């Protein structure tokens, strides 16, 4: 299931233009009850207004991050074929993606055992997950993205 960019009216016009130029549709998980996989947070620094989006185009989904003022130069954090993580709720035939992104606040990061080694956590991160199995947390620090693998969680 893919949604058009118009399903996300809060996205800045400049981000919509960039995503449109790439032919993006937004993948939805098989558990989605409302539009998902577009998040807004302070990913570059405390107080910044940034966006992260899963973009499906030409059979591949890419996680893009757009920093304020750099709308035409998003960072591609990860890509995979759309077919890599397809799933459906038990007993249903409607397939959806099992890839989801979510905001992880600075407070959540400071409480996370995987990230305690980051001493100056003062802004948000991106939770990059396979549904019910967290894969990675992306945190921007010192001009680069740090990715902490949280591992698969078998406690579903």
């Amino acid at each position: 299931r893919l949604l058009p960019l118009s399903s996300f009216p809060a996205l800045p016009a400049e981000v919509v233009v960039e995503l449109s130029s790439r032919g993006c549709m937004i993948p939805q998980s098989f558990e989605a009850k409302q539009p998902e996989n577009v998040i807004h947070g302070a990913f570059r620094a405390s107080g910044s207004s940034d966006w992260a989006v899963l973009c499906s185009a030409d059979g591949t989904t890419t996680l893009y991050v757009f920093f304020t003022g750099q709308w035409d130069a998003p960072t591609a954090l990860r890509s995979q074929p759309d077919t890599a993580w397809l799933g459906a709720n038990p007993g249903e035939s409607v397939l959806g993606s099992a890839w989801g992104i979510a905001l992880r606040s600075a407070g959540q990061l400071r409480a996370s055992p995987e990230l305690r080694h980051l001493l100056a956590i003062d802004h948000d991160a991106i939770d990059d997950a396979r549904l019910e199995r967290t894969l990675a947390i992306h945190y921007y620090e010192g001009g680069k993205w740090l990715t902490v693998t949280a591992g698969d969680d078998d406690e579903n």
Side-chain angles (χ1 to χ4, degrees), residues 111-127:
S112 174
E114 298 92 356
L115 297 171
R116 286 192 180 138
H117 68 281
L118 296 176
L119 301 176
I121 296 172
D122 67 349
H123 59 280
D124 303 324
I126 300 167
D127 192 10

Side-chain angles (χ1 to χ4, degrees), residues 19-81:
L19 292 171
S20 293
S21 74
R22 296 169 187 266
C24 293
M25 298 282 285
I26 309 301
Q28 301 299 291
S29 74
F30 56 87
E31 295 181 343
K33 304 286 189 255
Q34 59 189 5
E36 63 182 13
N37 290 330
V38 170
I39 58 174
H40 178 243
F43 302 126
R44 179 172 38 193
S46 180
S48 65
S49 181
D50 311 307
W51 291 84
V53 177
L54 288 183
C55 161
S56 174
D58 300 321
T60 299
T61 295
T62 302
L63 169 54
Y64 287 112
V65 180
F66 294 84
F67 289 147
T68 299
Q70 298 175 346
W71 305 125
D72 61 346
T75 299
L77 287 182
R78 188 163 79 80
S79 292
Q80 72 182 41

Side-chain angles (χ1 to χ4, degrees), residues 134-151:
T134 298
L135 290 182
I137 299 164
H138 303 288
Y139 186 79
Y140 191 77
E141 182 178 331
K144 64 182 179 180
W145 285 97
L146 305 175
T147 300
V148 177
T149 302

Side-chain angles (χ1 to χ4, degrees), residues 85-104:
W85 287 346
L86 286 179
N89 280 322
E92 294 183 14
S93 61
V94 177
L95 291 177
S97 174
W99 186 2
I101 58 172
L103 177 83
R104 189 168 288 211

